[in-house]
Coordinates of all heavy atoms in Angstrom, one line a residue:
M18 N 15.1 -11.7 -10.8 CA 14.7 -10.4 -10.4 C 13.1 -10.3 -10.5 O 12.5 -10.8 -11.4 CB 15.3 -9.3 -11.3 CG 16.8 -9.1 -11.0 SD 17.0 -8.3 -9.4 CE 16.6 -6.6 -9.8
L19 N 12.6 -9.6 -9.6 CA 11.2 -9.4 -9.6 C 10.8 -8.3 -10.6 O 11.6 -7.3 -10.7 CB 10.7 -9.0 -8.3 CG 10.6 -10.1 -7.2 CD1 10.4 -9.5 -5.8 CD2 9.6 -11.1 -7.5
R20 N 9.8 -8.5 -11.3 CA 9.4 -7.4 -12.3 C 8.0 -6.9 -11.9 O 7.0 -7.6 -11.9 CB 9.3 -8.0 -13.7 CG 10.7 -8.4 -14.2 CD 10.7 -9.1 -15.5 NE 10.1 -8.3 -16.5 CZ 9.9 -8.7 -17.8 NH1 10.1 -10.0 -18.1 NH2 9.4 -8.0 -18.7
T21 N 8.0 -5.7 -11.5 CA 6.8 -5.1 -10.9 C 5.7 -4.9 -12.0 O 4.6 -4.8 -11.7 CB 7.0 -3.8 -10.2 OG1 7.7 -3.0 -11.1 CG2 7.8 -4.0 -8.9
N22 N 6.2 -4.9 -13.3 CA 5.2 -4.6 -14.3 C 4.5 -5.9 -14.7 O 3.6 -5.9 -15.6 CB 5.8 -3.9 -15.5 CG 6.9 -4.8 -16.2 OD1 7.5 -5.7 -15.5 ND2 7.2 -4.6 -17.4
E23 N 4.9 -7.0 -14.2 CA 4.2 -8.3 -14.4 C 3.6 -8.8 -13.1 O 3.9 -9.9 -12.7 CB 5.1 -9.3 -15.1 CG 5.3 -9.1 -16.5 CD 6.1 -10.2 -17.2 OE1 6.1 -11.3 -16.6 OE2 6.6 -10.0 -18.2
H24 N 2.9 -7.9 -12.5 CA 2.4 -8.2 -11.2 C 1.3 -9.3 -11.3 O 0.3 -9.1 -12.0 CB 1.8 -7.0 -10.5 CG 1.4 -7.3 -9.1 ND1 2.4 -7.2 -8.1 CD2 0.3 -7.5 -8.6 CE1 1.7 -7.5 -7.0 NE2 0.5 -7.7 -7.2
R25 N 1.5 -10.4 -10.7 CA 0.5 -11.4 -10.7 C -0.3 -11.5 -9.4 O -1.3 -10.9 -9.2 CB 1.2 -12.8 -11.0 CG 1.5 -13.0 -12.4 CD 0.2 -13.1 -13.2 NE 0.5 -13.1 -14.6 CZ 0.9 -14.1 -15.4 NH1 1.1 -15.2 -14.8 NH2 1.1 -13.9 -16.7
S26 N 0.4 -12.1 -8.4 CA -0.3 -12.1 -7.1 C 0.8 -12.1 -6.1 O 1.9 -12.6 -6.3 CB -1.2 -13.3 -7.0 OG -0.4 -14.5 -7.0
C27 N 0.5 -11.4 -5.0 CA 1.4 -11.3 -3.9 C 0.6 -11.1 -2.7 O -0.6 -10.9 -2.7 CB 2.2 -10.0 -4.2 SG 3.5 -9.7 -2.9
C28 N 1.2 -11.2 -1.6 CA 0.5 -11.1 -0.3 C -0.2 -9.7 -0.2 O -1.2 -9.5 0.4 CB 1.4 -11.3 0.9 SG 2.9 -10.3 0.8
C29 N 0.4 -8.7 -0.9 CA -0.1 -7.4 -0.8 C -1.4 -7.2 -1.6 O -2.1 -6.2 -1.5 CB 0.9 -6.3 -1.3 SG 1.4 -6.5 -3.0
D30 N -1.8 -8.1 -2.5 CA -3.1 -8.0 -3.1 C -4.2 -8.0 -2.1 O -5.3 -7.4 -2.4 CB -3.3 -9.3 -4.0 CG -2.5 -9.1 -5.3 OD1 -2.1 -8.0 -5.7 OD2 -2.3 -10.2 -6.0
A31 N -4.0 -8.6 -1.0 CA -5.1 -8.6 0.0 C -5.4 -7.2 0.5 O -6.6 -7.0 0.9 CB -4.7 -9.5 1.2
Y32 N -4.4 -6.4 0.5 CA -4.6 -5.0 1.0 C -5.7 -4.3 0.1 O -6.4 -3.4 0.6 CB -3.3 -4.2 1.0 CG -2.2 -4.8 1.8 CD1 -0.9 -4.7 1.4 CD2 -2.5 -5.5 3.0 CE1 0.1 -5.3 2.1 CE2 -1.5 -6.1 3.7 CZ -0.2 -6.0 3.3 OH 0.8 -6.5 4.0
L33 N -5.7 -4.6 -1.2 CA -6.6 -3.9 -2.1 C -8.1 -4.2 -1.8 O -9.0 -3.4 -2.0 CB -6.3 -4.3 -3.5 CG -4.9 -4.0 -4.0 CD1 -4.7 -4.6 -5.4 CD2 -4.6 -2.5 -4.0
D34 N -8.3 -5.4 -1.2 CA -9.7 -5.8 -1.0 C -10.2 -5.5 0.4 O -11.3 -5.5 0.7 CB -9.9 -7.3 -1.2 CG -9.5 -7.7 -2.6 OD1 -9.8 -6.9 -3.5 OD2 -9.0 -8.8 -2.8
G35 N -9.2 -5.2 1.3 CA -9.6 -5.0 2.7 C -9.3 -3.5 3.1 O -8.6 -2.8 2.5
D36 N -10.0 -3.1 4.2 CA -9.7 -1.8 4.7 C -9.3 -1.9 6.2 O -9.4 -0.9 6.9 CB -10.9 -0.9 4.5 CG -12.2 -1.5 4.9 OD1 -12.1 -2.4 5.7 OD2 -13.2 -1.0 4.5
G37 N -8.9 -3.1 6.6 CA -8.6 -3.3 8.0 C -7.1 -3.5 8.2 O -6.7 -4.0 9.2
Y38 N -6.3 -3.2 7.2 CA -4.8 -3.5 7.3 C -4.1 -2.2 7.8 O -4.0 -1.2 7.1 CB -4.3 -4.0 6.0 CG -4.8 -5.3 5.5 CD1 -5.9 -5.4 4.6 CD2 -4.3 -6.5 6.1 CE1 -6.4 -6.6 4.2 CE2 -4.8 -7.7 5.7 CZ -5.8 -7.8 4.8 OH -6.3 -9.0 4.4
D39 N -3.6 -2.3 9.0 CA -2.9 -1.2 9.6 C -1.4 -1.2 9.0 O -0.7 -2.2 9.3 CB -2.9 -1.3 11.1 CG -2.2 -0.2 11.8 OD1 -1.4 0.6 11.1 OD2 -2.3 0.0 13.0
P40 N -1.0 -0.2 8.3 CA 0.3 -0.3 7.7 C 1.4 -0.4 8.8 O 2.5 -1.0 8.5 CB 0.5 1.1 7.0 CG -0.7 1.9 7.3 CD -1.8 1.0 7.9
N41 N 1.2 0.1 10.0 CA 2.2 0.0 11.0 C 2.3 -1.4 11.5 O 3.4 -1.9 11.7 CB 1.8 0.9 12.2 CG 1.8 2.4 11.9 OD1 2.9 2.9 11.6 ND2 0.7 3.0 11.9
E42 N 1.2 -2.1 11.5 CA 1.3 -3.5 11.9 C 1.9 -4.4 10.8 O 2.6 -5.3 11.1 CB -0.1 -4.0 12.3 CG -0.6 -3.5 13.6 CD -1.8 -4.3 14.2 OE1 -2.1 -5.3 13.6 OE2 -2.3 -3.9 15.2
E43 N 1.5 -4.0 9.6 CA 2.1 -4.8 8.5 C 3.6 -4.6 8.4 O 4.3 -5.5 8.1 CB 1.5 -4.3 7.1 CG 0.0 -4.6 7.0 CD -0.3 -6.1 7.2 OE1 0.3 -7.0 6.6 OE2 -1.2 -6.4 8.1
E44 N 4.0 -3.4 8.7 CA 5.5 -3.2 8.8 C 6.1 -4.0 9.9 O 7.2 -4.5 9.7 CB 5.8 -1.7 8.9 CG 7.3 -1.4 8.8 CD 7.7 0.0 9.1 OE1 7.2 0.6 10.1 OE2 8.4 0.6 8.3
R45 N 5.5 -4.0 11.0 CA 6.0 -4.7 12.2 C 6.1 -6.2 11.8 O 7.1 -6.9 12.3 CB 5.1 -4.5 13.4 CG 5.9 -4.1 14.6 CD 4.9 -3.7 15.7 NE 4.3 -2.4 15.5 CZ 3.0 -2.1 15.8 NH1 2.3 -3.0 16.4 NH2 2.6 -0.9 15.6
A46 N 5.2 -6.7 11.0 CA 5.2 -8.1 10.6 C 6.2 -8.3 9.5 O 6.4 -9.5 9.1 CB 3.8 -8.5 10.2
G47 N 6.8 -7.2 9.0 CA 7.8 -7.4 7.9 C 7.2 -7.6 6.5 O 7.9 -7.9 5.6
N48 N 5.9 -7.3 6.4 CA 5.3 -7.4 5.1 C 5.5 -6.2 4.2 O 5.6 -6.4 3.0 CB 3.8 -7.7 5.2 CG 3.5 -8.9 6.0 OD1 4.2 -9.9 5.9 ND2 2.4 -9.0 6.7
V49 N 5.6 -5.1 4.8 CA 5.7 -3.8 4.0 C 6.8 -2.9 4.7 O 7.2 -3.2 5.8 CB 4.4 -3.1 3.9 CG1 3.3 -3.9 3.3 CG2 4.0 -2.5 5.2
R50 N 7.1 -1.9 3.9 CA 8.0 -0.9 4.5 C 7.3 0.5 4.3 O 6.8 0.8 3.3 CB 9.3 -0.9 3.7 CG 10.5 -0.2 4.4 CD 11.8 -0.5 3.7 NE 11.7 0.0 2.3 CZ 12.1 1.3 2.0 NH1 12.5 2.1 3.0 NH2 12.1 1.7 0.8
I51 N 7.3 1.2 5.4 CA 6.7 2.5 5.3 C 7.7 3.5 4.8 O 8.7 3.7 5.5 CB 6.1 3.0 6.7 CG1 4.9 2.0 7.0 CG2 5.6 4.4 6.6 CD1 4.4 2.3 8.4
V52 N 7.5 4.0 3.6 CA 8.5 4.9 3.0 C 8.4 6.3 3.6 O 9.4 6.9 3.9 CB 8.2 5.0 1.5 CG1 9.2 5.9 0.8 CG2 8.3 3.6 0.9
S53 N 7.2 6.8 3.7 CA 7.0 8.1 4.3 C 5.6 8.2 4.8 O 4.7 7.5 4.4 CB 7.3 9.2 3.3 OG 6.4 9.2 2.2
T54 N 5.3 9.2 5.6 CA 4.0 9.4 6.1 C 3.7 10.9 6.1 O 4.6 11.8 6.1 CB 3.8 9.0 7.6 OG1 4.7 9.8 8.4 CG2 4.2 7.5 7.8
A55 N 2.4 11.2 6.0 CA 2.0 12.6 6.1 C 2.0 13.0 7.6 O 2.4 12.2 8.4 CB 0.6 12.8 5.5
E56 N 1.6 14.2 7.8 CA 1.5 14.7 9.2 C 0.7 13.7 10.0 O -0.4 13.4 9.6 CB 0.8 16.0 9.2 CG 1.7 17.2 9.6 CD 1.0 18.5 9.6 OE1 0.3 18.7 10.6 OE2 1.0 19.2 8.6
P57 N 1.2 13.2 11.1 CA 0.4 12.3 12.0 C -0.9 12.9 12.4 O -1.0 14.1 12.7 CB 1.4 12.0 13.2 CG 2.7 12.4 12.7 CD 2.6 13.5 11.7
G58 N -1.9 12.1 12.4 CA -3.2 12.5 12.8 C -4.2 11.4 12.6 O -3.8 10.3 12.2
W59 N -5.5 11.7 12.8 CA -6.5 10.7 12.6 C -6.7 10.3 11.2 O -6.9 9.2 10.8 CB -7.8 11.1 13.2 CG -7.7 11.2 14.7 CD1 -7.8 12.3 15.5 CD2 -7.5 10.1 15.6 NE1 -7.7 11.9 16.8 CE2 -7.5 10.6 16.9 CE3 -7.3 8.7 15.5 CZ2 -7.3 9.8 18.1 CZ3 -7.1 7.9 16.6 CH2 -7.1 8.5 17.9
S60 N -6.7 11.4 10.3 CA -6.8 11.1 8.9 C -5.4 11.5 8.3 O -5.1 12.7 8.2 CB -7.9 12.0 8.3 OG -9.1 11.6 8.8
M61 N -4.7 10.5 7.9 CA -3.4 10.8 7.3 C -3.1 9.8 6.2 O -3.8 8.8 6.1 CB -2.3 10.7 8.4 CG -2.2 9.4 9.1 SD -1.0 9.3 10.4 CE 0.5 9.3 9.5
T62 N -2.0 10.0 5.5 CA -1.7 9.1 4.5 C -0.3 8.5 4.7 O 0.6 9.2 5.3 CB -1.7 9.7 3.1 OG1 -0.9 10.9 3.1 CG2 -3.1 10.1 2.7
Y63 N -0.1 7.3 4.2 CA 1.2 6.6 4.3 C 1.6 6.3 2.9 O 0.8 6.0 2.0 CB 1.1 5.3 5.0 CG 0.7 5.4 6.5 CD1 -0.6 5.6 6.9 CD2 1.7 5.3 7.5 CE1 -1.0 5.6 8.2 CE2 1.3 5.3 8.8 CZ 0.0 5.5 9.2 OH -0.4 5.5 10.5
R64 N 2.9 6.3 2.7 CA 3.5 5.7 1.5 C 4.1 4.5 1.9 O 5.0 4.5 2.7 CB 4.4 6.7 0.8 CG 3.9 7.2 -0.6 CD 5.0 8.0 -1.2 NE 6.0 7.2 -1.8 CZ 7.2 7.6 -2.2 NH1 7.5 8.9 -2.2 NH2 8.1 6.8 -2.8
V65 N 3.7 3.4 1.3 CA 4.1 2.1 1.8 C 4.6 1.2 0.6 O 4.1 1.3 -0.5 CB 2.9 1.4 2.5 CG1 3.3 -0.1 2.8 CG2 2.5 2.1 3.7
Q66 N 5.6 0.5 0.8 CA 6.1 -0.4 -0.2 C 6.1 -1.9 0.3 O 6.5 -2.2 1.4 CB 7.6 0.0 -0.5 CG 8.1 -0.7 -1.7 CD 9.5 -0.2 -2.1 OE1 10.3 0.2 -1.3 NE2 9.8 -0.2 -3.4
C67 N 5.6 -2.7 -0.6 CA 5.5 -4.1 -0.3 C 7.0 -4.7 -0.2 O 7.8 -4.5 -1.1 CB 4.7 -4.9 -1.3 SG 4.7 -6.7 -1.1
A68 N 7.2 -5.4 0.9 CA 8.6 -6.0 1.0 C 8.8 -7.1 0.1 O 10.0 -7.4 -0.2 CB 8.8 -6.4 2.5
A69 N 7.8 -7.7 -0.4 CA 7.9 -8.9 -1.3 C 8.1 -8.5 -2.7 O 9.0 -9.0 -3.4 CB 6.8 -9.8 -1.1
C70 N 7.2 -7.7 -3.2 CA 7.2 -7.4 -4.7 C 7.6 -5.9 -5.0 O 7.8 -5.6 -6.1 CB 5.9 -7.7 -5.3 SG 4.6 -6.5 -4.8
G71 N 7.8 -5.1 -4.0 CA 8.2 -3.7 -4.2 C 7.1 -2.8 -4.7 O 7.4 -1.6 -5.0
R72 N 5.9 -3.3 -4.8 CA 4.8 -2.4 -5.2 C 4.6 -1.3 -4.2 O 4.6 -1.6 -3.0 CB 3.5 -3.2 -5.4 CG 2.4 -2.4 -6.0 CD 1.4 -3.2 -6.8 NE 0.8 -4.3 -6.0 CZ -0.4 -4.8 -6.3 NH1 -1.1 -4.3 -7.2 NH2 -0.9 -5.8 -5.5
E73 N 4.3 -0.1 -4.6 CA 4.1 1.0 -3.7 C 2.6 1.3 -3.6 O 1.8 1.1 -4.6 CB 4.8 2.2 -4.1 CG 6.3 2.1 -3.9 CD 7.0 3.5 -4.0 OE1 6.3 4.5 -4.1 OE2 8.2 3.5 -4.0
F74 N 2.2 1.7 -2.4 CA 0.8 2.0 -2.1 C 0.7 3.4 -1.5 O 1.6 3.7 -0.7 CB 0.2 1.0 -1.2 CG 0.1 -0.4 -1.8 CD1 1.1 -1.3 -1.6 CD2 -1.1 -0.8 -2.4 CE1 1.0 -2.6 -2.1 CE2 -1.2 -2.1 -2.9 CZ -0.1 -3.0 -2.8
I75 N -0.4 4.0 -1.7 CA -0.7 5.2 -0.9 C -1.8 4.6 0.0 O -2.9 4.1 -0.5 CB -1.3 6.3 -1.8 CG1 -0.2 6.8 -2.8 CG2 -1.8 7.4 -0.9 CD1 0.9 7.5 -2.1
V76 N -1.6 4.7 1.3 CA -2.6 4.2 2.2 C -3.2 5.4 2.9 O -2.5 6.2 3.6 CB -1.9 3.3 3.3 CG1 -2.9 2.8 4.2 CG2 -1.2 2.2 2.6
K77 N -4.5 5.5 2.8 CA -5.2 6.6 3.5 C -5.9 6.1 4.7 O -6.7 5.1 4.7 CB -6.3 7.2 2.6 CG -5.8 8.1 1.5 CD -6.9 8.8 0.8 CE -6.4 9.6 -0.4 NZ -7.4 10.1 -1.2
Q78 N -5.5 6.7 5.8 CA -6.1 6.3 7.1 C -7.4 7.1 7.2 O -7.4 8.3 7.1 CB -5.2 6.6 8.2 CG -5.7 6.2 9.6 CD -4.7 6.3 10.7 OE1 -3.7 5.5 10.7 NE2 -4.8 7.3 11.5
I79 N -8.5 6.4 7.5 CA -9.8 7.0 7.6 C -10.3 6.9 9.0 O -10.4 5.8 9.5 CB -10.8 6.4 6.6 CG1 -10.2 6.6 5.1 CG2 -12.1 7.0 6.7 CD1 -10.8 5.6 4.1
D80 N -10.6 8.0 9.5 CA -11.1 8.0 10.9 C -12.6 7.7 10.9 O -13.3 8.0 9.9 CB -10.9 9.4 11.5 CG -11.2 9.4 13.0 OD1 -11.3 8.4 13.6 OD2 -11.4 10.5 13.5
G81 N -13.1 7.0 11.8 CA -14.5 6.6 11.9 C -14.7 5.9 13.2 O -14.0 6.0 14.1
P82 N -15.8 5.1 13.2 CA -16.1 4.3 14.4 C -14.9 3.4 14.7 O -14.5 3.2 15.9 CB -17.3 3.4 14.0 CG -17.9 4.1 12.9 CD -16.8 4.9 12.2
A83 N -14.2 2.9 13.7 CA -12.9 2.3 13.8 C -12.1 2.8 12.7 O -12.5 3.2 11.7 CB -13.1 0.8 13.7
L84 N -10.8 2.8 13.0 CA -9.9 3.3 11.9 C -9.9 2.3 10.7 O -9.9 1.1 10.9 CB -8.4 3.4 12.5 CG -8.2 4.6 13.4 CD1 -6.7 4.5 13.9 CD2 -8.4 5.9 12.6
Q85 N -9.8 2.9 9.5 CA -9.8 2.1 8.4 C -8.6 2.6 7.5 O -8.2 3.7 7.6 CB -11.1 2.2 7.5 CG -12.3 1.6 8.3 CD -13.5 1.6 7.4 OE1 -13.6 2.4 6.5 NE2 -14.4 0.7 7.6
W86 N -8.2 1.7 6.6 CA -7.1 2.1 5.7 C -7.4 1.7 4.3 O -7.7 0.6 4.0 CB -5.8 1.4 6.2 CG -5.3 1.9 7.5 CD1 -4.5 2.9 7.8 CD2 -5.7 1.3 8.8 NE1 -4.3 3.0 9.1 CE2 -5.0 2.0 9.8 CE3 -6.5 0.2 9.2 CZ2 -5.1 1.7 11.1 CZ3 -6.6 -0.1 10.5 CH2 -5.9 0.7 11.5
K87 N -7.3 2.7 3.4 CA -7.6 2.4 2.0 C -6.2 2.3 1.3 O -5.5 3.3 1.3 CB -8.4 3.6 1.4 CG -9.9 3.5 1.7 CD -10.6 2.6 0.7 CE -12.1 2.4 1.2 NZ -12.5 1.0 1.2
W88 N -6.0 1.2 0.7 CA -4.7 0.9 0.0 C -4.9 1.1 -1.5 O -5.7 0.4 -2.1 CB -4.2 -0.5 0.3 CG -3.8 -0.7 1.8 CD1 -4.7 -0.7 2.9 CD2 -2.5 -1.0 2.3 NE1 -3.9 -0.9 4.0 CE2 -2.6 -1.1 3.7 CE3 -1.3 -1.2 1.6 CZ2 -1.5 -1.4 4.4 CZ3 -0.2 -1.5 2.4 CH2 -0.3 -1.6 3.8
V89 N -4.2 2.0 -2.0 CA -4.3 2.3 -3.5 C -2.9 2.1 -4.1 O -1.9 2.7 -3.6 CB -4.8 3.7 -3.7 CG1 -4.8 4.0 -5.2 CG2 -6.1 4.0 -3.1
P90 N -2.8 1.2 -5.0 CA -1.5 1.0 -5.6 C -1.0 2.2 -6.4 O -1.8 2.9 -6.9 CB -1.7 -0.2 -6.6 CG -3.1 -0.3 -6.8 CD -3.8 0.3 -5.6
R91 N 0.3 2.4 -6.4 CA 0.8 3.6 -7.0 C 2.0 3.2 -7.8 O 2.7 2.3 -7.6 CB 1.2 4.6 -5.8 CG 2.4 5.2 -5.9 CD 2.6 6.2 -4.8 NE 3.2 7.4 -5.3 CZ 4.5 7.4 -5.8 NH1 5.2 6.3 -5.7 NH2 5.0 8.5 -6.3
G92 N 2.2 4.0 -8.9 CA 3.4 3.8 -9.7 C 3.3 2.5 -10.5 O 4.3 1.9 -10.7
V93 N 2.1 2.1 -10.8 CA 2.0 0.9 -11.6 C 2.4 1.2 -13.0 O 1.7 2.0 -13.7 CB 0.6 0.3 -11.5 CG1 0.4 -0.9 -12.4 CG2 0.2 0.0 -10.1
K94 N 3.4 0.6 -13.5 CA 3.9 1.0 -14.8 C 3.4 0.0 -15.8 O 3.6 -1.2 -15.7 CB 5.5 1.0 -14.8 CG 6.0 2.2 -14.1 CD 7.5 2.1 -13.9 CE 8.0 3.3 -13.1 NZ 9.3 3.1 -12.6
R95 N 2.9 0.5 -16.9 CA 2.5 -0.3 -18.0 C 3.3 0.0 -19.2 O 3.5 1.2 -19.5 CB 1.0 -0.1 -18.3 CG 0.1 -0.7 -17.1 CD -1.3 -0.4 -17.4 NE -2.2 -0.8 -16.3 CZ -2.7 -2.0 -16.2 NH1 -2.5 -2.9 -17.2 NH2 -3.4 -2.4 -15.2
K96 N 3.6 -1.0 -20.0 CA 4.4 -0.7 -21.2 C 3.5 -0.3 -22.3 O 4.0 0.4 -23.2 CB 5.2 -2.0 -21.6 CG 6.4 -2.1 -20.7 CD 7.3 -3.2 -21.2 CE 8.6 -3.3 -20.4 NZ 9.4 -4.5 -20.8
S97 N 2.3 -0.7 -22.3 CA 1.4 -0.4 -23.4 C 0.1 0.1 -22.8 O -0.2 -0.1 -21.7 CB 1.2 -1.5 -24.4 OG 0.7 -2.6 -23.7
G98 N -0.7 0.7 -23.7 CA -2.0 1.0 -23.2 C -2.0 2.3 -22.4 O -3.0 2.6 -21.7
Q99 N -1.0 3.1 -22.5 CA -1.0 4.4 -21.8 C -1.9 5.4 -22.4 O -2.0 5.4 -23.6 CB 0.5 4.9 -21.8 CG 1.3 4.3 -20.7 CD 2.6 5.0 -20.6 OE1 3.1 5.5 -21.5 NE2 3.2 4.9 -19.4
R100 N -2.5 6.1 -21.6 CA -3.5 7.1 -22.1 C -2.9 8.5 -21.8 O -2.5 8.7 -20.7 CB -4.8 7.0 -21.5 CG -5.6 5.8 -22.0 CD -7.0 5.8 -21.5 NE -7.6 4.5 -21.7 CZ -8.8 4.2 -21.3 NH1 -9.5 5.0 -20.7 NH2 -9.3 3.0 -21.6
Ligands
LIG22 ZN1 3.5 -7.4 -2.9

């Protein structure tokens, strides 16, 4: 079983460093699953889950000269060090 609290590395780590990953394309490629989306528009958010490790992300689509996507991991559970 995969344990999300011992996250090491996964293909989804790349999303954290880049802002050019379209969640729709990633889903089409089978890398992620779009759990839900906000109201469709130029600036909207997606809730996305990695198909490999199950990590969830909030993806903010940012309108600009080119569309960008900010991927923020969500629901990262830590057993210790909680504040
Ligand atoms: Zn992953």
